[in-house]
Coordinates of all heavy atoms in Angstrom, one line a residue:
E1 N 36.7 5.2 -70.8 CA 35.8 5.2 -69.6 C 34.4 5.2 -70.0 O 33.6 4.5 -69.4 CB 36.1 6.4 -68.7 CG 35.5 6.4 -67.4 CD 35.9 5.2 -66.5 OE1 37.1 4.8 -66.6 OE2 35.1 4.7 -65.7
R2 N 34.0 6.0 -71.0 CA 32.7 6.0 -71.5 C 32.3 4.6 -72.1 O 31.2 4.1 -71.9 CB 32.5 7.0 -72.6 CG 32.5 8.4 -72.1 CD 32.4 9.4 -73.2 NE 32.6 10.7 -72.8 CZ 31.7 11.7 -72.9 NH1 30.6 11.5 -73.5 NH2 32.0 12.9 -72.4
L3 N 33.2 3.9 -72.8 CA 33.0 2.6 -73.3 C 32.7 1.6 -72.2 O 31.8 0.8 -72.2 CB 34.1 2.1 -74.2 CG 34.1 0.7 -74.7 CD1 33.0 0.6 -75.7 CD2 35.4 0.3 -75.3
K4 N 33.5 1.7 -71.2 CA 33.4 0.7 -70.0 C 32.1 0.9 -69.3 O 31.4 0.0 -69.0 CB 34.6 0.9 -69.0 CG 35.9 0.4 -69.6 CD 37.0 0.4 -68.6 CE 37.3 1.7 -68.0 NZ 38.5 1.6 -67.1
V5 N 31.7 2.2 -69.1 CA 30.4 2.5 -68.4 C 29.2 2.1 -69.3 O 28.3 1.5 -68.8 CB 30.4 3.9 -67.9 CG1 29.0 4.3 -67.4 CG2 31.4 4.2 -66.9
M6 N 29.3 2.4 -70.5 CA 28.2 2.0 -71.4 C 28.0 0.5 -71.5 O 26.9 0.0 -71.5 CB 28.5 2.6 -72.8 CG 27.3 2.4 -73.8 SD 25.9 3.3 -73.1 CE 24.6 2.7 -74.1
E7 N 29.1 -0.2 -71.5 CA 29.0 -1.7 -71.6 C 28.4 -2.2 -70.2 O 27.5 -3.1 -70.2 CB 30.3 -2.3 -71.8 CG 30.2 -3.8 -72.1 CD 31.5 -4.4 -72.5 OE1 32.2 -3.8 -73.4 OE2 31.8 -5.5 -72.1
A8 N 28.8 -1.6 -69.1 CA 28.2 -2.0 -67.8 C 26.7 -1.6 -67.8 O 25.9 -2.4 -67.2 CB 29.0 -1.2 -66.7
V9 N 26.3 -0.5 -68.3 CA 24.9 -0.1 -68.4 C 24.1 -1.2 -69.2 O 23.0 -1.6 -68.8 CB 24.7 1.3 -68.9 CG1 23.3 1.6 -69.3 CG2 25.2 2.3 -67.9
L10 N 24.6 -1.5 -70.3 CA 24.0 -2.5 -71.2 C 23.8 -3.9 -70.5 O 22.8 -4.5 -70.5 CB 24.7 -2.7 -72.5 CG 24.5 -1.5 -73.5 CD1 25.4 -1.6 -74.7 CD2 23.1 -1.3 -73.9
I11 N 24.9 -4.3 -69.8 CA 24.9 -5.6 -69.1 C 23.8 -5.5 -68.0 O 23.0 -6.4 -67.9 CB 26.3 -5.9 -68.5 CG1 27.2 -6.3 -69.6 CG2 26.2 -7.1 -67.5 CD1 28.7 -6.3 -69.1
S12 N 23.8 -4.4 -67.3 CA 22.8 -4.3 -66.2 C 21.4 -4.2 -66.7 O 20.5 -4.9 -66.2 CB 23.1 -3.0 -65.4 OG 22.1 -2.7 -64.5
F13 N 21.2 -3.5 -67.8 CA 19.9 -3.4 -68.4 C 19.3 -4.7 -68.8 O 18.2 -5.1 -68.5 CB 20.0 -2.4 -69.6 CG 18.7 -2.3 -70.4 CD1 17.7 -1.5 -69.9 CD2 18.5 -3.0 -71.6 CE1 16.5 -1.4 -70.7 CE2 17.4 -2.8 -72.3 CZ 16.3 -2.0 -71.9
V14 N 20.2 -5.5 -69.5 CA 19.7 -6.8 -70.0 C 19.5 -7.8 -68.9 O 18.5 -8.5 -68.8 CB 20.7 -7.3 -71.1 CG1 20.4 -8.8 -71.4 CG2 20.7 -6.5 -72.3
C15 N 20.4 -7.8 -68.0 CA 20.3 -8.8 -66.8 C 19.1 -8.5 -66.0 O 18.3 -9.4 -65.7 CB 21.6 -8.8 -66.0 SG 23.0 -9.5 -66.8
V16 N 18.9 -7.2 -65.6 CA 17.8 -6.9 -64.7 C 16.5 -7.0 -65.5 O 15.5 -7.4 -65.0 CB 18.0 -5.5 -64.1 CG1 16.7 -5.0 -63.4 CG2 19.2 -5.5 -63.2
G17 N 16.5 -6.6 -66.8 CA 15.3 -6.7 -67.6 C 14.8 -8.1 -67.7 O 13.6 -8.4 -67.5
M18 N 15.7 -9.0 -68.1 CA 15.4 -10.4 -68.2 C 15.0 -11.0 -66.8 O 14.0 -11.8 -66.8 CB 16.5 -11.2 -68.8 CG 16.7 -10.9 -70.3 SD 18.1 -11.6 -71.2 CE 18.7 -13.0 -70.2
G19 N 15.7 -10.6 -65.8 CA 15.4 -11.2 -64.5 C 14.1 -10.7 -64.0 O 13.3 -11.6 -63.4
T20 N 13.7 -9.5 -64.1 CA 12.4 -9.0 -63.7 C 11.3 -9.6 -64.5 O 10.2 -9.8 -64.0 CB 12.3 -7.5 -63.6 OG1 12.7 -6.9 -64.9 CG2 13.3 -6.9 -62.5
L21 N 11.5 -9.7 -65.8 CA 10.5 -10.4 -66.7 C 10.3 -11.8 -66.2 O 9.1 -12.2 -66.0 CB 11.0 -10.3 -68.1 CG 10.0 -11.0 -69.1 CD1 8.8 -10.2 -69.2 CD2 10.7 -11.1 -70.5
A22 N 11.3 -12.5 -66.0 CA 11.2 -13.9 -65.5 C 10.5 -13.9 -64.1 O 9.6 -14.8 -63.9 CB 12.5 -14.6 -65.4
Y23 N 10.8 -13.0 -63.2 CA 10.2 -13.0 -61.9 C 8.7 -12.6 -62.0 O 7.9 -13.1 -61.3 CB 10.9 -12.0 -61.0 CG 10.5 -12.2 -59.6 CD1 11.1 -13.2 -58.8 CD2 9.5 -11.5 -59.0 CE1 10.7 -13.5 -57.5 CE2 9.1 -11.7 -57.7 CZ 9.7 -12.7 -56.9 OH 9.3 -13.0 -55.6
G24 N 8.4 -11.8 -63.0 CA 7.0 -11.5 -63.2 C 6.2 -12.8 -63.6 O 5.0 -12.9 -63.1
F25 N 6.8 -13.7 -64.3 CA 6.1 -14.9 -64.6 C 6.0 -15.8 -63.3 O 5.0 -16.4 -63.1 CB 6.8 -15.7 -65.7 CG 6.8 -15.1 -67.0 CD1 8.0 -14.9 -67.8 CD2 5.7 -14.5 -67.6 CE1 8.0 -14.3 -69.0 CE2 5.7 -13.9 -68.8 CZ 6.8 -13.8 -69.6
L26 N 7.0 -15.7 -62.5 CA 7.0 -16.5 -61.3 C 5.9 -15.9 -60.3 O 5.3 -16.7 -59.5 CB 8.4 -16.5 -60.6 CG 9.4 -17.3 -61.4 CD1 10.8 -17.1 -60.7 CD2 9.1 -18.7 -61.5
E27 N 5.7 -14.6 -60.3 CA 4.6 -14.1 -59.5 C 3.3 -14.6 -59.9 O 2.4 -14.8 -59.0 CB 4.6 -12.5 -59.6 CG 5.7 -11.8 -58.9 CD 5.7 -10.3 -59.1 OE1 4.8 -9.8 -59.9 OE2 6.4 -9.6 -58.4
G28 N 3.1 -15.0 -61.1 CA 1.9 -15.6 -61.6 C 1.6 -17.0 -61.0 O 0.5 -17.4 -61.1
V29 N 2.6 -17.6 -60.5 CA 2.4 -19.0 -60.0 C 2.6 -18.9 -58.4 O 2.7 -20.0 -57.8 CB 3.4 -20.0 -60.6 CG1 3.0 -20.2 -62.0 CG2 4.8 -19.7 -60.3
G30 N 2.6 -17.7 -57.8 CA 2.5 -17.7 -56.4 C 3.7 -17.1 -55.7 O 3.7 -16.9 -54.5
F31 N 4.8 -16.7 -56.4 CA 5.9 -16.0 -55.8 C 5.4 -14.7 -55.2 O 4.5 -14.1 -55.8 CB 7.0 -15.8 -56.8 CG 8.0 -17.0 -56.9 CD1 7.5 -18.2 -57.3 CD2 9.3 -16.9 -56.6 CE1 8.3 -19.3 -57.5 CE2 10.2 -18.0 -56.8 CZ 9.7 -19.2 -57.2
P32 N 6.1 -14.2 -54.2 CA 5.7 -12.9 -53.6 C 5.9 -11.8 -54.6 O 6.8 -11.8 -55.4 CB 6.5 -12.7 -52.4 CG 7.6 -13.8 -52.4 CD 7.2 -14.8 -53.4
R33 N 5.0 -10.8 -54.5 CA 5.1 -9.6 -55.4 C 6.3 -8.8 -55.0 O 6.7 -8.6 -53.9 CB 3.9 -8.8 -55.2 CG 2.6 -9.4 -55.8 CD 1.8 -8.5 -56.5 NE 1.0 -8.4 -57.6 CZ 1.1 -9.0 -58.8 NH1 2.1 -9.8 -59.0 NH2 0.3 -8.8 -59.7
M34 N 7.0 -8.3 -56.1 CA 8.1 -7.4 -55.9 C 7.7 -6.0 -56.2 O 7.2 -5.8 -57.3 CB 9.3 -7.9 -56.8 CG 10.5 -7.1 -56.7 SD 11.9 -7.6 -57.7 CE 11.3 -7.2 -59.3
G35 N 8.0 -5.1 -55.3 CA 7.7 -3.7 -55.6 C 8.6 -3.1 -56.7 O 9.7 -3.5 -56.9

C-alpha cells in the first residue's frame, strides 16, 4: 500500500509540477493568471 501511494504521489508531483511550469510560460503570453 505504501508503494502504491508513493508512486501515485510521485506521478502527481511530476505531472502537476510540469503542468504548472508550462502554464507559467503560457501566462507570459497572455493566458489568464492561475491562483
